[in-house]
Amino acid sequence: VLDFGCGTATLTIMAKEQKPLINITGIDIDNSILKNAKNKILKKKLDISLIAYNGEKLPFSDASFDRIISCLVFHHLESPIKQKVLAELFRVTKVGGELIIADFGRSESWFQRLLFNLIRGLDGFKPTEANAKGLMPFMISTAGFNYLGIEQNFKTLFGEVHLFKAIKH
């Protein structure tokens, strides 16, 4: 399992605690946040690999992972970077492997869209544009994944978070 944009490894740790036998790797571009993640992992005495990378090509061979997870990362990336990252995630996913992304998406609720616009003001309108327009499914498919749909929606104080699910055929 790869946790793309693992940050302080909260999701990475949760996944390992839920499925102790998985081999999980967290990757992020922020070295200082990875130090915090490493400390959290050491305190819990878990076997989790953490890797810092430069935001370009993922440092893994083709077809390295059965599953890739990512939580609240993609709304920080501008559309060309989103597409490049999704292509890299496709490259490192095994055939039959899953991609699960939890991130903001276009809500049917005008109130949730209004809340997300507050976040967009903080995070920038350009990086969040594809999310606000509901383009994540198209971008996931364009990268080569078979987009399976939104597994779940979560209404939050900052907008609606969608659980996008896809598979590599």
Side-chain angles (χ1 to χ4, degrees):
V1 176
L2 175 65
D3 182 359
F4 176 78
C6 67
T8 61
T10 300
L11 180 62
T12 323
I13 290 167
M14 286 172 52
K16 184 68 173 179
E17 288 176 336
Q18 286 289 326
K19 304 278 185 182
L21 298 179
I22 64 170
N23 180 5
I24 190 162
T25 301
I27 191 165
D28 205 287
I29 61 171
D30 188 331
N31 285 318
S32 62
I33 217 161
L34 284 173
K35 285 179 188 174
N36 293 339
K38 184 177 182 180
N39 290 334
K40 284 171 65 174
I41 290 165
L42 288 172
K43 282 180 187 173
K44 291 191 172 266
K45 298 178 182 164
L46 295 171
D47 181 22
I48 296 173
S49 300
L50 294 176
I51 296 175
Y53 93 117
N54 63 6
E56 295 294 320
K57 185 175 178 178
L58 291 170
F60 307 109
S61 303
D62 295 357
S64 296
F65 296 95
D66 296 303
R67 180 171 287 153
I68 297 176
I69 56 177
S70 182
C71 187
L72 298 175
V73 174
F74 278 84
H75 73 278
H76 293 289
L77 309 174
E78 292 188 12
S79 291
I81 303 297
K82 276 182 180 66
Q83 204 63 69
K84 187 175 181 179
V85 166
L86 286 165
E88 273 296 286
L89 293 177
F90 182 80
R91 180 184 67 78
V92 301
T93 303
K94 293 178 182 177
V95 172
E98 290 181 319
L99 172 69
I100 302 168
I101 298 173
D103 214 316
F104 293 103
R106 181 165 176 81
S107 177
E108 296 296 319
S109 161
W110 67 268
F111 184 67
Q112 287 293 303
R113 289 194 306 268
L114 177 67
L115 291 173
F116 185 47
N117 276 330
L118 297 174
I119 289 297
R120 293 185 72 202
L122 295 172
D123 286 346
F125 285 91
K126 203 166 186 178
T128 56
E129 182 177 25
N131 298 74
K133 289 184 175 180
L135 297 177
M136 283 297 295
F138 172 77
M139 296 178 92
I140 290 167
S141 295
T142 301
F145 288 98
N146 180 21
Y147 177 69
L148 301 176
I150 296 169
E151 186 96 344
Q152 264 183 294
N153 298 336
F154 303 93
K155 292 186 181 353
T156 74
L157 294 174
F158 308 108
E160 193 168 303
V161 173
H162 295 179
L163 205 59
F164 303 101
K165 189 172 181 182
I167 195 164
K168 180 177 179 177
H169 285 301

mmCIF file of all heavy atoms in Angstrom, residues 50-68:
data_model
loop_
_atom_site.group_PDB
_atom_site.id
_atom_site.type_symbol
_atom_site.label_atom_id
_atom_site.label_comp_id
_atom_site.label_asym_id
_atom_site.label_seq_id
_atom_site.Cartn_x
_atom_site.Cartn_y
_atom_site.Cartn_z
ATOM 1 N N LEU A 50 8.737 5.452 5.380
ATOM 2 C CA LEU A 50 8.445 6.826 4.962
ATOM 3 C C LEU A 50 9.505 7.268 3.966
ATOM 4 O O LEU A 50 10.692 7.008 4.174
ATOM 5 C CB LEU A 50 8.448 7.768 6.166
ATOM 6 C CG LEU A 50 7.357 7.576 7.204
ATOM 7 C CD1 LEU A 50 7.571 8.524 8.373
ATOM 8 C CD2 LEU A 50 5.978 7.769 6.605
ATOM 9 N N ILE A 51 9.048 7.931 2.916
ATOM 10 C CA ILE A 51 9.971 8.378 1.875
ATOM 11 C C ILE A 51 9.666 9.835 1.536
ATOM 12 O O ILE A 51 8.516 10.207 1.324
ATOM 13 C CB ILE A 51 9.833 7.506 0.605
ATOM 14 C CG1 ILE A 51 10.242 6.066 0.916
ATOM 15 C CG2 ILE A 51 10.646 8.083 -0.549
ATOM 16 C CD1 ILE A 51 10.022 5.095 -0.221
ATOM 17 N N ALA A 52 10.725 10.628 1.477
ATOM 18 C CA ALA A 52 10.608 12.002 0.985
ATOM 19 C C ALA A 52 10.894 11.968 -0.511
ATOM 20 O O ALA A 52 11.767 11.228 -0.960
ATOM 21 C CB ALA A 52 11.613 12.902 1.695
ATOM 22 N N TYR A 53 10.123 12.728 -1.269
ATOM 23 C CA TYR A 53 10.423 12.794 -2.695
ATOM 24 C C TYR A 53 10.252 14.210 -3.198
ATOM 25 O O TYR A 53 9.725 15.079 -2.500
ATOM 26 C CB TYR A 53 9.591 11.758 -3.467
ATOM 27 C CG TYR A 53 8.278 12.216 -4.038
ATOM 28 C CD1 TYR A 53 8.077 12.211 -5.409
ATOM 29 C CD2 TYR A 53 7.222 12.627 -3.230
ATOM 30 C CE1 TYR A 53 6.870 12.603 -5.950
ATOM 31 C CE2 TYR A 53 6.019 13.014 -3.761
ATOM 32 C CZ TYR A 53 5.848 13.004 -5.129
ATOM 33 O OH TYR A 53 4.658 13.396 -5.668
ATOM 34 N N ASN A 54 10.717 14.457 -4.411
ATOM 35 C CA ASN A 54 10.824 15.816 -4.930
ATOM 36 C C ASN A 54 9.572 16.325 -5.640
ATOM 37 O O ASN A 54 9.580 17.419 -6.194
ATOM 38 C CB ASN A 54 12.023 15.914 -5.878
ATOM 39 C CG ASN A 54 11.878 15.028 -7.099
ATOM 40 O OD1 ASN A 54 10.841 14.405 -7.324
ATOM 41 N ND2 ASN A 54 12.923 14.953 -7.899
ATOM 42 N N GLY A 55 8.512 15.550 -5.666
ATOM 43 C CA GLY A 55 7.285 15.999 -6.318
ATOM 44 C C GLY A 55 7.251 15.700 -7.803
ATOM 45 O O GLY A 55 6.284 16.039 -8.482
ATOM 46 N N GLU A 56 8.282 15.082 -8.315
ATOM 47 C CA GLU A 56 8.318 14.729 -9.741
ATOM 48 C C GLU A 56 7.973 13.253 -9.902
ATOM 49 O O GLU A 56 6.911 12.840 -9.493
ATOM 50 C CB GLU A 56 9.703 15.057 -10.323
ATOM 51 C CG GLU A 56 10.031 16.536 -10.328
ATOM 52 C CD GLU A 56 9.144 17.355 -11.257
ATOM 53 O OE1 GLU A 56 8.839 16.875 -12.371
ATOM 54 O OE2 GLU A 56 8.756 18.470 -10.873
ATOM 55 N N LYS A 57 8.892 12.484 -10.434
ATOM 56 C CA LYS A 57 8.667 11.056 -10.655
ATOM 57 C C LYS A 57 8.708 10.307 -9.317
ATOM 58 O O LYS A 57 9.623 10.507 -8.523
ATOM 59 C CB LYS A 57 9.731 10.498 -11.605
ATOM 60 C CG LYS A 57 9.494 9.068 -11.979
ATOM 61 C CD LYS A 57 10.478 8.571 -13.001
ATOM 62 C CE LYS A 57 10.171 7.110 -13.267
ATOM 63 N NZ LYS A 57 11.002 6.517 -14.248
ATOM 64 N N LEU A 58 7.712 9.449 -9.102
ATOM 65 C CA LEU A 58 7.701 8.653 -7.876
ATOM 66 C C LEU A 58 8.875 7.676 -7.890
ATOM 67 O O LEU A 58 9.141 7.054 -8.915
ATOM 68 C CB LEU A 58 6.380 7.890 -7.753
ATOM 69 C CG LEU A 58 5.149 8.746 -7.483
ATOM 70 C CD1 LEU A 58 3.876 7.920 -7.632
ATOM 71 C CD2 LEU A 58 5.223 9.367 -6.100
ATOM 72 N N PRO A 59 9.570 7.528 -6.764
ATOM 73 C CA PRO A 59 10.775 6.693 -6.715
ATOM 74 C C PRO A 59 10.475 5.196 -6.537
ATOM 75 O O PRO A 59 11.028 4.535 -5.663
ATOM 76 C CB PRO A 59 11.514 7.259 -5.493
ATOM 77 C CG PRO A 59 10.422 7.705 -4.585
ATOM 78 C CD PRO A 59 9.335 8.224 -5.501
ATOM 79 N N PHE A 60 9.589 4.689 -7.388
ATOM 80 C CA PHE A 60 9.203 3.280 -7.332
ATOM 81 C C PHE A 60 9.186 2.704 -8.738
ATOM 82 O O PHE A 60 8.958 3.424 -9.711
ATOM 83 C CB PHE A 60 7.807 3.109 -6.711
ATOM 84 C CG PHE A 60 7.643 3.781 -5.385
ATOM 85 C CD1 PHE A 60 6.846 4.907 -5.250
ATOM 86 C CD2 PHE A 60 8.290 3.289 -4.257
ATOM 87 C CE1 PHE A 60 6.694 5.537 -4.036
ATOM 88 C CE2 PHE A 60 8.141 3.923 -3.024
ATOM 89 C CZ PHE A 60 7.338 5.043 -2.917
ATOM 90 N N SER A 61 9.386 1.395 -8.822
ATOM 91 C CA SER A 61 9.293 0.694 -10.102
ATOM 92 C C SER A 61 7.843 0.652 -10.563
ATOM 93 O O SER A 61 6.920 0.806 -9.764
ATOM 94 C CB SER A 61 9.789 -0.750 -9.955
ATOM 95 O OG SER A 61 11.101 -0.765 -9.476
ATOM 96 N N ASP A 62 7.661 0.398 -11.842
ATOM 97 C CA ASP A 62 6.318 0.198 -12.379
ATOM 98 C C ASP A 62 5.643 -0.939 -11.621
ATOM 99 O O ASP A 62 6.300 -1.903 -11.213
ATOM 100 C CB ASP A 62 6.377 -0.173 -13.868
ATOM 101 C CG ASP A 62 6.930 0.948 -14.738
ATOM 102 O OD1 ASP A 62 7.222 2.043 -14.214
ATOM 103 O OD2 ASP A 62 7.066 0.721 -15.951
ATOM 104 N N ALA A 63 4.339 -0.828 -11.450
ATOM 105 C CA ALA A 63 3.522 -1.887 -10.847
ATOM 106 C C ALA A 63 4.049 -2.343 -9.488
ATOM 107 O O ALA A 63 4.203 -3.523 -9.231
ATOM 108 C CB ALA A 63 3.391 -3.064 -11.815
ATOM 109 N N SER A 64 4.316 -1.399 -8.599
ATOM 110 C CA SER A 64 4.859 -1.705 -7.270
ATOM 111 C C SER A 64 3.796 -1.890 -6.188
ATOM 112 O O SER A 64 4.067 -2.516 -5.180
ATOM 113 C CB SER A 64 5.786 -0.572 -6.807
ATOM 114 O OG SER A 64 6.901 -0.455 -7.642
ATOM 115 N N PHE A 65 2.599 -1.342 -6.383
ATOM 116 C CA PHE A 65 1.610 -1.298 -5.303
ATOM 117 C C PHE A 65 0.274 -1.916 -5.702
ATOM 118 O O PHE A 65 -0.211 -1.710 -6.808
ATOM 119 C CB PHE A 65 1.387 0.151 -4.845
ATOM 120 C CG PHE A 65 2.613 0.767 -4.251
ATOM 121 C CD1 PHE A 65 3.463 1.540 -5.029
ATOM 122 C CD2 PHE A 65 2.946 0.562 -2.918
ATOM 123 C CE1 PHE A 65 4.613 2.096 -4.487
ATOM 124 C CE2 PHE A 65 4.096 1.101 -2.368
ATOM 125 C CZ PHE A 65 4.930 1.873 -3.151
ATOM 126 N N ASP A 66 -0.317 -2.617 -4.731
ATOM 127 C CA ASP A 66 -1.657 -3.187 -4.902
ATOM 128 C C ASP A 66 -2.738 -2.146 -4.652
ATOM 129 O O ASP A 66 -3.836 -2.253 -5.184
ATOM 130 C CB ASP A 66 -1.884 -4.337 -3.903
ATOM 131 C CG ASP A 66 -0.943 -5.502 -4.157
ATOM 132 O OD1 ASP A 66 -0.943 -6.022 -5.274
ATOM 133 O OD2 ASP A 66 -0.208 -5.863 -3.224
ATOM 134 N N ARG A 67 -2.427 -1.177 -3.810
ATOM 135 C CA ARG A 67 -3.420 -0.165 -3.459
ATOM 136 C C ARG A 67 -2.695 1.144 -3.170
ATOM 137 O O ARG A 67 -1.643 1.157 -2.536
ATOM 138 C CB ARG A 67 -4.214 -0.607 -2.227
ATOM 139 C CG ARG A 67 -5.277 0.407 -1.809
ATOM 140 C CD ARG A 67 -6.181 -0.144 -0.731
ATOM 141 N NE ARG A 67 -7.053 -1.138 -1.366
ATOM 142 C CZ ARG A 67 -7.587 -2.166 -0.724
ATOM 143 N NH1 ARG A 67 -7.352 -2.360 0.537
ATOM 144 N NH2 ARG A 67 -8.380 -3.010 -1.366
ATOM 145 N N ILE A 68 -3.320 2.228 -3.616
ATOM 146 C CA ILE A 68 -2.803 3.566 -3.311
ATOM 147 C C ILE A 68 -3.927 4.347 -2.663
ATOM 148 O O ILE A 68 -5.061 4.350 -3.159
ATOM 149 C CB ILE A 68 -2.292 4.281 -4.578
ATOM 150 C CG1 ILE A 68 -1.113 3.494 -5.165
ATOM 151 C CG2 ILE A 68 -1.893 5.724 -4.253
ATOM 152 C CD1 ILE A 68 -0.574 4.025 -6.464
#
